[in-house]
Amino acid sequence: MTQPARRRGRSNVAKFWIGVALCLPALFLAGVLVSLPSTVGGAVNLPSGLSSLATFGMSVGLLATAVLGLVREGTRFVVVGMLAGLAILFVLAAGACIVLLTGLSNPNS
């Protein structure tokens, strides 16, 4: 009688929730990385076209990293969790905008 193969590492559910927890720090880090070329370019007086090209390259690199994370078996559920966390943040921000606009449009509150 053979024993069933044991899984190594974390379960897919754990990877998903780790991704959800990492979505906010990853969003902050992505913003810093995308703004870095223009900030450094402005500090060392590079032409604006070169800074824009470097920012575009950084954006493409971040997109390629996300796609690679989805393709690889070990990181797939972490990236899916990050995308789900970003979707949750988007819905919460939209709800906050609705509440803010409602409060601003009502002069009696």
Side-chain angles (χ1 to χ4, degrees):
M1 182 184 230
T2 61
Q3 294 180 347
R6 299 189 92 191
R7 290 188 65 180
R8 299 182 118 190
R10 292 188 167 90
S11 69
N12 290 338
V13 174
K15 290 178 186 177
F16 176 83
W17 288 111
I18 289 170
V20 170
L22 288 176
C23 75
L24 197 57
L27 185 63
F28 176 76
L29 182 64
V32 168
L33 287 175
V34 168
S35 67
L36 193 64
S38 63
T39 304
V40 172
V44 296
N45 294 327
L46 288 177
S48 64
L50 187 60
S51 295
S52 298
L53 186 64
T55 301
F56 177 72
M58 187 66 75
S59 299
V60 170
L62 286 172
L63 179 64
T65 303
V67 170
L68 181 66
L70 283 172
V71 170
R72 289 193 61 226
E73 184 76 27
T75 58
R76 181 174 299 148
F77 282 96
V78 175
V79 175
V80 169
M82 291 173 105
L83 292 173
L86 290 174
I88 291 168
L89 288 175
F90 179 76
V91 169
L92 288 175
C97 286
I98 291 171
V99 170
L100 180 66
L101 290 174
T102 303
L104 289 175
S105 68
N106 188 1
N108 295 329
S109 59

